[in-house]
Amino acid sequence: RDRVSTQSTWGHQFQSKKMLAKSTKTLFKTLSLARNFSSEQSVNRPVSTVTLLPGDGIGPEITEAVLQIFAELKVPIEWEFHQIGKTVQTEEGDLISVDTINSIQRNKFALKGPFTTPIGKGFRSLNVTLRKKLKLYANLRPAVTIEGVPCLYNNVNCVTIRENTEGEYSGLEHRVVPGVVENLKIISKKACTDIAVYAFEYARKMNRKKVIACHKAGVMRLGDGLFLDTCRSIAKEYPDIHFEDEQVDTVCMKLAQNPSQFDVMVMPNLYGDIVSDLCSGLVGGLGLTGSGNIGENCSVYEAVHGSAPDIAGKNMANPTALILSSCLMLDHMALSSYSDRIRGAVYDVIKEGKYTTRDIGGKSGTNDYLKAIIGRL
């Protein structure tokens, strides 16, 4: 584990093929460890430490892109690097060590690249483990139309807020008899209250005008009924925010017809998983949307797309999702003066279309796309 400042002098130029040919450790060694903080910056902006999990496949490449952008802007952040193991680290079958969990809890913020959970008995999902261990109760996923990205709609600007710990993803399932499996959907008053309050507080802070609770209370009258009743109760405390509720299948239909009518949507776990990916598809895909997992004491921001091992090291990866996730993190850290500049540079480069990656219709590689963003900065 090394700590590297984003305000460091870079000793080597990043080259994705060489970095991927070696281990993820090589990524850390290519960074200069010299700390050249100017006295003015050190006095005016205290440096915060953020836990960094580069990930698998294209993870180190897109993580490197974020590091270079932060270095260019001299964002007052120091990175604490951690790697996820390929073997079980705990008795519960987790691939995430106690040391990594403690780091995130201590630093309060983490940035995570994509990971692949090995297939086989004894392994638990990395994302589920993080959410459970760190009590990350809310998933935040904005979806915004980016000019220059080919897609069906040009007016999408909505946010999916998903309860992150319960529902069908509680992990409580068993075989009743051969051929019959029971999966328990857990809905608690506390979790419903926490996610509803977060949705309305987010809407108010971000000057959003409407919150829609998505549910299936017409069928699951007790479970989703509790969620809906809680949202309705919390909504009364926010008279400045317009509140509606819709069945989740109706929401999906209306999103496909006219997504511009949606603002902030709040929903239980499984629905949020589906609807947030749907909204990402409306704006060009998972590679263009940032994401954050919010807890009471710490938060983990991540790229939600896969690790894409088939293109790792080929200078083809699009780092936009992780860059935008890092911007969400900076917003949370009250460093929006940096996140606004980064978003602006990303949007300008995509709008121009000269140095975009192949997945969004361009012909450039990761390195040229990154250089264009830094040039805009």
Side-chain angles (χ1 to χ4, degrees):
R1 186 176 78 202
D2 293 311
R3 290 188 176 187
V4 182
S5 166
T6 61
Q7 298 182 7
S8 301
T9 299
W10 294 79
H12 301 277
Q13 181 70 26
F14 169 68
Q15 296 181 8
S16 61
K17 290 186 179 180
K18 290 184 178 180
M19 184 273 295
L20 262 296
K22 301 176 184 178
S23 68
T24 305
K25 289 183 178 180
T26 308
L27 169 63
F28 312 146
K29 293 178 181 178
T30 61
L31 305 174
S32 170
L33 300 180
R35 294 181 173 88
N36 293 330
F37 299 111
S38 70
S39 58
E40 180 181 354
Q41 290 164 341
S42 298
V43 171
N44 294 339
R45 289 189 178 275
V47 176
S48 300
T49 302
V50 173
T51 303
L52 184 65
L53 309 171
D56 303 322
I58 63 171
E61 294 174 76
I62 62 175
T63 299
E64 177 72 12
V66 173
L67 295 181
Q68 290 203 35
I69 290 170
F70 276 40
E72 182 68 23
L73 283 184
K74 296 182 172 57
V75 180
I77 282 179
E78 184 177 76
W79 301 104
E80 184 176 318
F81 290 91
H82 282 258
Q83 297 184 42
I84 302 299
K86 298 296 183 182
T87 58
V88 171
Q89 303 291 311
T90 68
E91 294 181 358
E92 294 83 4
D94 298 330
L95 297 173
I96 304 172
S97 68
V98 173
D99 188 38
T100 299
I101 295 294
N102 290 340
S103 170
I104 298 172
Q105 291 174 328
R106 178 176 63 253
N107 295 330
K108 307 301 182 185
F109 293 96
L111 185 66
K112 183 177 79 67
F115 283 90
T116 302
T117 301
I119 298 175
K121 294 183 179 180
F123 297 109
R124 294 205 303 179
S125 165
L126 291 165
N127 290 329
V128 171
T129 300
L130 281 173
R131 293 166 188 166
K132 292 285 187 180
K133 296 273 188 182
L134 299 172
K135 296 180 173 59
L136 305 174
Y137 67 91
N139 177 257
L140 173 69
R141 186 96 71 85
V144 180
T145 298
I146 301 176
E147 189 175 354
V149 176
C151 54
L152 295 175
Y153 304 96
N154 59 9
N155 54 356
V156 181
N157 187 2
C158 61
V159 179
T160 304
I161 294 177
R162 160 190 172 191
E163 202 289 315
N164 226 6
T165 62
E166 294 187 336
E168 292 84 353
Y169 293 177
S170 299
L172 300 175
E173 56 182 1
H174 61 276
R175 186 175 66 173
V176 181
V177 295
V180 179
V181 173
E182 187 175 53
N183 186 321
L184 301 181
K185 175 176 179 174
I186 306 300
I187 300 286
S188 71
K189 178 72 172 181
K190 181 183 185 307
C192 293
T193 301
D194 288 345
I195 197 66
V197 169
Y198 179 81
F200 280 96
E201 285 292 334
Y202 176 86
R204 177 176 284 175
K205 179 180 179 181
M206 303 304 293
N207 296 316
R208 297 275 182 167
K209 304 302 180 185
K210 181 169 67 174
V211 171
I212 298 179
C214 307
H215 61 90
K216 200 64 180 171
V219 177
M220 289 171 277
R221 292 178 291 176
L222 292 179
D224 282 23
L226 175 60
F227 171 79
L228 179 56
D229 290 342
T230 303
C231 288
R232 287 172 173 169
S233 176
I234 297 298
K236 296 176 182 177
E237 302 175 17
Y238 296 85
D240 52 318
I241 309 282
H242 179 68
F243 174 73
E244 298 177 3
D245 67 83
E246 286 272 16
Q247 301 276 337
V248 67
D249 47 345
T250 303
V251 168
C252 291
M253 178 191 69
K254 290 184 176 180
L255 278 168
Q257 290 176 328
N258 179 20
S260 65
Q261 63 187 295
F262 290 93
D263 197 347
V264 174
M265 297 173 286
V266 59
M267 59 199 77
N269 205 338
L270 175 61
Y271 309 152
D273 194 5
I274 296 168
V275 171
S276 59
D277 277 12
L278 168 59
C279 292
S280 294
L282 297 175
V283 299
L286 294 175
L288 296 170
T289 51
S291 177
N293 298 288
I294 315 301
E296 293 182 3
N297 300 310
C298 59
S299 300
V300 177
Y301 292 85
E302 61 178 347
V304 294
H305 56 69
S307 58
D310 56 317
I311 64 170
K314 297 180 180 180
N315 192 34
M316 295 172 61
N318 182 351
T320 303
L322 192 63
I323 293 172
L324 294 180
S325 297
S326 72
C327 289
L328 292 175
M329 181 184 73
L330 292 176
D331 292 338
H332 193 169
M333 299 174 73
L335 294 170
S336 58
S337 61
Y338 296 98
S339 59
D340 289 344
R341 291 181 63 188
I342 295 171
R343 284 193 192 94
V346 170
Y347 293 161
D348 285 346
V349 170
I350 294 176
K351 179 180 178 180
E352 183 183 36
K354 187 177 180 180
Y355 295 106
T356 52
T357 51
R358 293 171 178 83
D359 60 306
I360 55 174
K363 298 181 180 180
S364 297
T366 309
N367 293 336
D368 286 341
Y369 177 58
L370 174 59
K371 289 177 183 176
I373 293 173
I374 291 176
R376 290 283 182 173
L377 292 174

